């Protein structure tokens, strides 16, 4: 689950549900604690990627080892976009997109590291070697055990001038990528 503002500003699909906490905060649950489920939640107002932005949210990834994780996605496919479930993280298959994944399960076929990690994914691919070879994404950043029953704070920043997309996990572990993402997803 994750938290954000503006309850009426979200387009939900498949297993995703929303709960209004107060006038400014909602809790979005992308999937129930069941296998084979996938969900998406899209902010329904386009973000202008020619300008800087910072988005901070909280993510809860469970209280025991499981699978598979969640992605923060910037995409131009549309509000009904949804990827495949399981190791695909609800992201694989979404074209014209960039994602920051928070992965809780080692999938050998995607070159995942041993531990829970975050990584940058491109064009609907969660294969880290493919993304690094074709788009120069950084190696995944190991995060330790993130299925520890705690909410984690994530901050995603886009520096449009310097063409840098970055994410910080719990204010101390970060990943950044210098690439003009507007060449992949457009400007909004």
């Amino acid at each position: 689950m994750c938290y954000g503002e503006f309850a009426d500003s979200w387009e939900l699909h498949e297993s995703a549900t929303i709960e209004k906490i107060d006038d400014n905060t909602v809790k979005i649950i992308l999937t129930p604690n069941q296998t084979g489920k996938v969900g998406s939640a899209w902010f329904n107002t386009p973000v202008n990627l020619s300008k800087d932005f910072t988005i901070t949210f909280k993510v809860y990834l469970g209280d025991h080892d499981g699978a598979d994780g969640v992605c923060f996605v910037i995409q131009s496919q549309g509000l009904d976009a949804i990827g495949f479930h399981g190791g695909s993280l609800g992201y694989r298959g979404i074209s014209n997109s960039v994602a920051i994944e928070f992965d809780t399960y080692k999938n050998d076929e995607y070159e995942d590291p041993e531990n829970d990690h975050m990584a940058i994914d491109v064009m609907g691919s969660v294969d880290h070697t493919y993304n690094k070879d074709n788009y120069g994404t950084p190696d995944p950043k190991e995060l330790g055990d993130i299925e520890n029953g705690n909410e984690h704070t994530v901050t995603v920043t886009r520096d449009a001038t310097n063409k840098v997309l970055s994410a910080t996990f719990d204010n101390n572990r970060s990943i950044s990528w210098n690439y003009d993402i507007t060449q992949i997803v457009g400007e909004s």
Side-chain angles (χ1 to χ4, degrees):
M1 82 186 137
C2 54
Y3 295 85
E5 296 180 350
F6 318 110
D8 297 331
S9 301
W10 296 94
E11 190 77 28
L12 306 179
H13 296 282
E14 299 281 336
S15 297
T17 59
I18 193 166
E19 176 186 337
K20 187 174 180 179
I21 303 299
D22 59 39
D23 287 340
N24 295 313
T25 307
V26 297
K27 175 171 59 173
I28 299 170
I29 300 173
L30 294 176
T31 60
N33 188 12
Q34 301 171 359
T35 60
K37 299 294 183 182
V38 65
S40 68
W42 301 111
F43 192 67
N44 61 24
T45 303
V47 174
N48 184 346
L49 297 177
S50 68
K51 299 187 183 285
D52 295 351
F53 72 77
T54 298
I55 297 170
T56 299
F57 58 94
K58 293 187 183 270
V59 62
Y60 176 78
L61 297 158
D63 60 3
H64 63 279
D65 284 338
D68 267 282
V70 64
C71 290
F72 173 88
V73 181
I74 302 167
Q75 54 92 9
S76 58
Q77 188 170 312
L79 293 176
D80 59 349
I82 193 162
F84 298 101
H85 70 338
S88 298
L89 302 171
Y91 173 68
R92 187 173 62 86
I94 299 177
S95 59
N96 301 326
S97 63
V98 172
I100 299 171
E101 73 171 50
F102 303 93
D103 195 338
T104 63
Y105 187 81
K106 182 180 187 326
N107 292 286
D108 291 328
E109 66 271 28
Y110 300 134
E111 305 293 329
D112 283 348
E114 287 296 321
N115 297 309
D116 298 347
H117 62 277
M118 68 177 161
I120 296 175
D121 299 327
V122 184
M123 295 296 285
S125 172
V126 293
D127 183 317
H128 304 304
T129 300
Y130 172 85
N131 288 325
K132 183 176 185 172
D133 290 350
N134 289 281
Y135 297 99
T137 59
D139 290 330
K141 177 78 170 187
E142 292 198 26
L143 299 174
D145 180 15
I146 61 177
E147 300 159 288
N148 56 9
N150 295 322
E151 291 181 344
H152 301 279
T153 301
V154 175
T155 300
V156 177
T157 302
R158 161 82 170 142
D159 176 341
T161 302
N162 295 307
K163 299 176 177 37
V164 176
L165 178 67
S166 61
T168 303
F169 191 87
D170 283 343
N171 300 315
N172 65 5
R173 292 166 278 185
S174 64
I175 193 167
S176 66
W177 180 45
N178 190 315
Y179 195 94
D180 185 3
I181 64 172
T182 64
Q183 298 301 309
I184 297 169
V185 297
E187 288 192 357
S188 63

